[in-house]
Amino acid sequence: MFKAITPCLFLVSVLFVLTSCGGEQKNEEARDKAEKEEADPPRVIPSFNADSAYHYVEKQVSFGPRVPNTNAHRECGNWLQGTLERFADTVYVQNTRVRAYDGTVLQISNFIGSFSPEKRSRILLAAHWDTRPWADHDPDPENHYSPFDGANDGASGVGVLLELARLLSHSSPDVGVDIVLFDAEDYGLHREEQGPDRDSWALGSQHWAQSPHRSDYDARFGILLDMVGAQGATFLHEGYSLLYAPHVVRKVWEIAQRIGYGHFFLNREGGYIMDDHYYVNEIRNIPTINIIDQRSGTPHGFFEHWHTMQDNMDVIDPATLEAVGQTVLTVIFRE
Ligand code: AHN
Ligand code: ZN
């Protein structure tokens, strides 16, 4: 009798061990998953709000042309600093004086908003916030020494970056992000003046590249936004971007096309543009691309109203701001 019961008991206990083992394994898996998610929550890519970005563009334009050494420039600078301070973890302000090609001494400020400053792996996002003092491509020569709104040339890139800053204040990608607003990009040689052309542009980024906000600053790669708000914009593979950071060009254009912005991001080669990214590449060795609106149908290769009195809010299309903003967001949340 005893003999007969033993195998039965044995079977029952084996079954018990087997089932409890299976259950424990399941619990362990669930616990592992929960622990992993706690440390590393599933990243939901936020939605870029184009109306909010449009509002940030409009706000900058409302100060008047942001030409260095003017009140509008100082007041807009104060507003940019305050806005970055609302959203970023750490804000740096770089005040300095630089000499323009015509001898004018410019009082300039670069603003840097850092997100997750403790992270080693970082991405640099940049745009220029100043506007050109002269509409030297205006069809009316009377305007060739007049300042203009710079809604697209200046405010659009900053508008997209401020909306990204707002979103990054609510949710963080795996990488750290630095938003850099460069001053005095657009004080380059006037069409009708004599002087050196090449290093007359991008004075704020030349200064930052030589003395970054942190002396050991480095980033995996950088993305510069310039003229990213006009209706019908076309973003081509810019020359220096392909030269210094071809892998970043490929990555950004692939993502843009995958998420439905292929009509803005074209797989065509554009020209070589002397812009802030040139000095970030050349001096700091951070592979940096320029997302810049290049057109084939205009004499200068940029949007129709480039450096004219018509670069105002009328040229801004929220659909363009959205294409650029959602693409950059997707890039940084996939890193
Ligand atoms: C030159 O035309 C040499 N650089 C154009 C860079 C620029 C001006 N971006 C905006 N305004
Ligand atoms: Zn310009």
Side-chain angles (χ1 to χ4, degrees):
M1 195 151 149
F2 193 75
K3 257 187 182 172
I5 272 171
T6 314
C8 190
L9 257 181
F10 178 73
L11 193 65
V12 165
S13 48
V14 162
L15 272 175
F16 178 76
V17 166
L18 273 179
T19 51
S20 65
C21 232
E24 228 164 65
Q25 207 161 315
K26 254 203 197 127
N27 279 339
E28 215 168 284
E29 270 168 25
R31 201 172 345 102
D32 276 358
K33 193 161 175 260
E35 267 172 18
K36 194 162 177 267
E37 280 176 7
E38 222 168 90
D40 183 21
R43 300 280 188 240
V44 178
I45 302 174
S47 282
F48 186 84
N49 185 332
D51 293 332
S52 170
Y54 185 93
H55 170 84
Y56 291 134
V57 176
E58 212 170 27
K59 176 73 184 179
Q60 293 169 77
V61 168
S62 78
F63 288 101
R66 282 82 64 213
V67 173
N69 297 350
T70 66
N71 272 325
H73 179 268
R74 275 184 287 276
E75 280 159 17
C76 184
N78 289 338
W79 176 78
L80 290 172
Q81 182 181 340
T83 304
L84 280 182
E85 280 167 352
R86 279 207 292 145
F87 298 140
D89 297 314
T90 310
V91 173
Y92 303 81
V93 179
Q94 275 195 322
N95 295 313
T96 190
R97 284 183 178 83
V98 294
R99 190 177 294 274
Y101 76 88
D102 62 357
T104 309
V105 173
L106 308 176
Q107 179 68 54
I108 66 162
S109 307
N110 295 324
F111 301 105
I112 301 100
S114 294
F115 296 82
S116 307
E118 74 286 353
K119 288 181 179 163
R120 274 181 53 81
S121 181
R122 314 197 60 75
I123 291 172
L124 170 70
L125 305 177
H128 76 91
W129 71 273
D130 65 305
T131 58
R132 184 158 179 76
W134 321 288
D136 53 352
H137 276 85
D138 199 89
D140 182 354
E142 288 272 301
N143 293 326
H144 282 191
Y145 286 88
S146 304
F148 56 97
D149 286 348
N152 193 35
D153 191 356
S156 66
V158 173
V160 167
L161 293 185
L162 292 180
E163 170 60 4
L164 292 178
R166 188 185 69 81
L167 295 169
L168 291 174
S169 74
H170 298 297
S171 56
S172 306
D174 284 348
V175 288
V177 175
D178 302 289
I179 290 181
V180 183
L181 308 181
F182 290 125
D183 204 350
E185 186 278 332
D186 234 341
Y187 217 103
L189 180 65
H190 190 286
R191 261 180 102 185
E192 289 138 34
E193 304 286 344
Q194 305 294 317
D197 182 17
R198 204 179 159 79
D199 291 326
S200 66
W201 304 84
L203 302 178
S205 54
Q206 291 188 55
H207 172 77
W208 179 86
Q210 276 147 11
S211 336
H213 58 289
R214 295 183 52 153
S215 57
D216 59 344
Y217 183 76
D218 199 9
R220 305 234 312 249
F221 61 85
I223 301 177
L224 174 67
L225 308 182
D226 195 3
M227 304 191 270
V228 292
Q231 194 270 327
T234 49
F235 305 114
L236 313 183
H237 300 179
E238 185 272 334
Y240 292 117
S241 309
L242 277 180
L243 187 64
Y244 291 108
H247 59 295
V248 185
V249 172
R250 238 177 292 118
K251 185 199 323 246
V252 171
W253 263 251
E254 232 169 66
I255 286 175
Q257 288 156 11
R258 184 144 39 88
I259 65 177
Y261 301 116
H263 48 304
F264 289 105
F265 288 79
L266 309 183
N267 286 331
R268 266 180 39 206
E269 251 183 72
Y272 286 79
I273 315 296
M274 273 308 279
D275 209 339
D276 296 312
H277 70 314
Y278 176 80
Y279 299 99
V280 178
N281 277 300
E282 191 60 30
I283 301 176
R284 284 238 72 72
N285 280 307
I286 298 172
T288 301
I289 65 159
N290 194 3
I291 300 182
I292 184 168
D293 184 0
Q294 297 195 70
R295 314 267 181 123
S296 31
T298 60
H300 37 66
F302 299 116
F303 77 115
E304 185 189 353
H305 302 297
W306 185 65
H307 294 179
T308 75
M309 304 305 287
Q310 308 308 309
D311 180 359
N312 56 37
M313 285 311 290
D314 295 345
V315 311
I316 302 298
D317 183 353
T320 307
L321 299 171
E322 180 191 290
V324 173
Q326 193 63 56
T327 296
V328 173
L329 254 184
T330 307
V331 169
I332 62 182
F333 273 80
R334 296 243 164 116
E335 284 299 310

